[in-house]
């Protein structure tokens, strides 16, 4: 049976090439995605297994990628818990009935994940049929705090005032909401594994909005508990993105996942050194600035190579952007970056 390059690197095993995929690799920068999207609302697309599988596979037809990540959104589980999700053009996601009190919390329910979110599993099963045996199927979820922040604010936020207010004035409600999301997230990820996911990713994009103490005491334990619950029933790799700061790496003692995704705002060599100093036996993913795809070819290649060279010092390295591809990304620039990774692999021989 063919080994999956990304899974091997994630677990720190030897690979003959550097695995590559891109956060938000399916999406608005591709004309074939826009053609499908013009006739369907975003949430309806996420809930349509055939179309979600189709847009998940689109970038793999164009590019030499080692993984597909299922087309969905971190807030999809909120729709099964009792909130209604829409996407305002230019404003991002909006959730109805934000959680601001114990009464709001009581209105939420713990869904039957297989029944109410099974369409995500169906999309994974369909996508998997379109992958080569060496390509990895990635399932994902939002980490509890990041999902909670949207559920409390009702949308994205620059100040996270309602999140802080709930945390400071109704800590019990905040804690119970985090517990509910952690339990649902664990079940949601295991449902994705059952459907065929070979690797999982947890996004904690807004974790950096908390103080380091609050991250360690209120955010990290719930995130780690999700990983613990998943790992109790599955031995595949799990990637964690702790948001836009090196600071939280200091707080990851006892982290139970396998890969840390490093944001592009952090220097990869520094992140790798910090992970090593903490004694964490994990691989790294990242961390090209997604805007680097607008650079002249020589500069783009140099940036890619610097990341690849830094990645050699890690237990394992998965090449990626530090955060998602942007709508104005030129698809041809991805071909250049991928070519540079493949050229680097040829010059270095086999990896760790």
């Amino acid at each position: 049976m063919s080994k999956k390059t990304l899974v091997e690197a994630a677990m720190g095993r030897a690979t003959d090439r550097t695995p590559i995929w891109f956060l938000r690799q399916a999406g608005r920068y591709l004309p074939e995605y826009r053609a499908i999207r013009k006739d369907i609302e975003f949430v309806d697309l996420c809930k349509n297994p055939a179309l979600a599988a189709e847009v998940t596979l689109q970038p793999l037809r164009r590019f030499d990628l080692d993984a597909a990540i299922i087309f969905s959104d971190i807030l999809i589980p909120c729709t099964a818990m009792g909130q209604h999700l829409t996407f305002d053009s230019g404003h991002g996601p909006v959730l109805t009935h934000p959680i601001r009190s114990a009464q709001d919390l009581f209105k939420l329910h713990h869904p039957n994940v297989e029944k109410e979110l099974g369409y995500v599993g169906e999309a994974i099963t369909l996508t998997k049929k379109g992958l080569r045996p060496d390509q990895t199927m990635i399932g994902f979820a939002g980490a509890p705090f990041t999902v909670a922040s949207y559920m409390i604010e009702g949308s994205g936020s620059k100040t996270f005032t309602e999140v802080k207010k709930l945390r400071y004035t109704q800590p019990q409600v905040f804690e119970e909401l985090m517990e509910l999301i952690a339990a649902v997230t664990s079940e949601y990820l295991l449902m994705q594994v059952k459907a065929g996911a070979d690797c999982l990713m947890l996004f904690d994009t807004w974790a950096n909005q908390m103080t380091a103490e609050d991250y360690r005491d209120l955010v990290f334990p719930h995130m780690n508990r999700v990983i613990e619950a998943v790992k109790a029933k599955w031995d595949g790799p799990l990637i964690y993105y702790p948001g836009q700061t090196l600071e939280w790496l200091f707080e990851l003692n006892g982290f139970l996942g396998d890969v840390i995704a490093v944001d592009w705002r952090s220097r990869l060599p520094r992140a790798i050194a910090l992970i090593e100093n903490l004694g964490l036996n994990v691989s790294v993913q990242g961390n090209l600035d997604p805007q680097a795809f607008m650079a002249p070819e020589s500069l783009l290649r140099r940036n890619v190579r610097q990341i690849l060279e830094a990645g050699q010092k890690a237990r394992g390295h998965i090449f990626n952007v530090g955060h998602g591809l942007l709508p104005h990304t030129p698809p041809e620039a991805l071909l250049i970056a991928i070519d540079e990774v493949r050229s680097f692999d040829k010059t270095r021989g086999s990896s760790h």
Side-chain angles (χ1 to χ4, degrees):
M1 194 178 146
S2 182
K3 287 187 174 177
K4 297 181 187 298
T5 315
L6 186 144
V7 171
E8 295 300 297
M11 301 306 268
R13 296 192 286 260
T15 59
D16 56 4
R17 68 185 210 162
T18 304
I20 312 173
W21 69 282
F22 296 105
L23 292 155
R24 295 204 190 119
Q25 63 190 19
R28 294 173 292 178
Y29 73 104
L30 290 176
E32 55 268 43
Y33 169 81
R34 291 197 297 271
I36 287 176
R37 181 71 173 81
K38 72 178 193 325
D39 297 321
I40 189 167
E41 287 294 325
F42 179 84
V43 177
D44 294 335
L45 177 52
C46 292
K47 291 183 176 185
N48 182 316
L51 286 181
E54 167 58 24
V55 297
T56 301
L57 287 166
Q58 283 176 345
L60 283 89
R61 295 187 191 122
R62 264 184 189 256
F63 309 114
D64 177 18
L65 298 168
D66 293 287
I69 184 165
I70 195 61
F71 184 84
S72 189
D73 190 84
I74 62 167
L75 301 183
I76 287 294
C78 307
T79 64
M81 284 189 265
Q83 289 182 303
H84 182 65
L85 173 65
T86 54
F87 279 78
D88 276 11
S89 66
H91 295 291
V94 176
L95 285 167
T96 56
H97 313 303
I99 311 306
R100 308 278 170 84
S101 66
Q103 285 90 326
D104 295 329
L105 179 65
F106 293 144
K107 285 175 190 160
L108 294 176
H109 73 285
H110 188 135
N112 177 329
V113 167
E114 299 235 355
K115 203 163 146 190
E116 295 180 61
L117 297 167
Y119 52 83
V120 177
E122 282 179 53
I124 286 172
T125 304
L126 285 173
T127 304
K128 191 112 184 233
K129 290 175 182 164
L131 297 181
R132 297 191 314 262
D134 63 312
Q135 289 175 315
T136 299
M137 181 73 237
I138 303 173
F140 74 91
F145 174 75
T146 292
V147 173
S149 70
Y150 281 105
M151 291 180 80
I152 296 163
E153 294 287 339
S155 64
S157 174
K158 285 189 167 67
T159 57
F160 294 81
T161 302
E162 296 298 337
V163 173
K164 301 289 179 86
K165 190 172 162 189
L166 194 71
R167 176 259 176 274
Y168 288 127
T169 64
Q170 300 176 77
Q172 188 62 33
V173 175
F174 180 85
E175 185 65 16
E176 284 179 26
L177 176 61
M178 291 284 280
E179 282 170 10
L180 171 64
I181 298 168
V184 172
T185 304
S186 308
E187 291 167 21
Y188 181 55
L189 289 171
L190 284 166
M191 180 268 286
Q192 294 181 53
V193 166
K194 197 171 161 188
D198 308 299
C199 176
L200 297 171
M201 183 157 177
L202 268 180
F203 290 87
D204 223 350
T205 316
W206 302 126
N208 63 325
Q209 297 299 323
M210 296 300 254
T211 64
E213 291 82 359
D214 277 355
Y215 175 79
R216 186 70 213 180
D217 297 343
L218 305 174
V219 176
F220 179 84
H222 292 287
M223 178 276 298
N224 226 18
R225 207 164 293 135
V226 169
I227 301 176
E228 189 175 28
V230 170
K231 291 279 189 180
K233 298 185 174 176
W234 175 69
D235 61 359
L238 194 142
I239 304 166
Y240 176 58
Y241 173 65
Q244 307 165 2
T245 176
L246 263 181
E247 185 67 30
W248 293 168
L249 298 183
F250 289 101
E251 307 300 332
L252 291 179
N253 268 318
F255 172 66
L256 296 170
D258 307 285
V259 183
I260 291 170
V262 181
D263 188 80
W264 57 266
R265 297 164 185 83
S266 302
R267 289 175 190 264
L268 192 58
R270 195 174 289 170
I272 291 166
L274 194 49
I275 286 164
E276 203 173 283
N277 289 343
L278 281 171
L280 290 178
N281 183 28
V282 297
S283 299
V284 296
Q285 175 177 283
N287 73 336
L288 186 70
D289 178 356
Q291 303 278 24
F293 289 114
M294 295 188 297
E297 179 172 342
S298 58
L299 181 54
L300 173 57
R301 285 184 181 275
R302 196 166 82 214
N303 286 356
V304 169
R305 191 157 282 253
Q306 280 173 342
I307 288 164
L308 291 165
E309 284 165 357
Q312 293 297 290
K313 294 188 173 66
R315 179 186 85 158
H317 178 226
I318 299 161
F319 186 85
N320 207 318
V321 278
H323 202 217
L325 294 180
L326 297 153
H328 56 262
T329 303
E332 57 277 11
L334 267 65
L335 291 168
I336 294 167
I338 292 165
D339 180 66
E340 189 59 31
V341 177
R342 301 300 178 221
S343 304
F344 179 81
D345 285 339
K346 285 192 186 91
T347 58
R348 75 180 173 121
S350 68
S351 153
H352 35 255

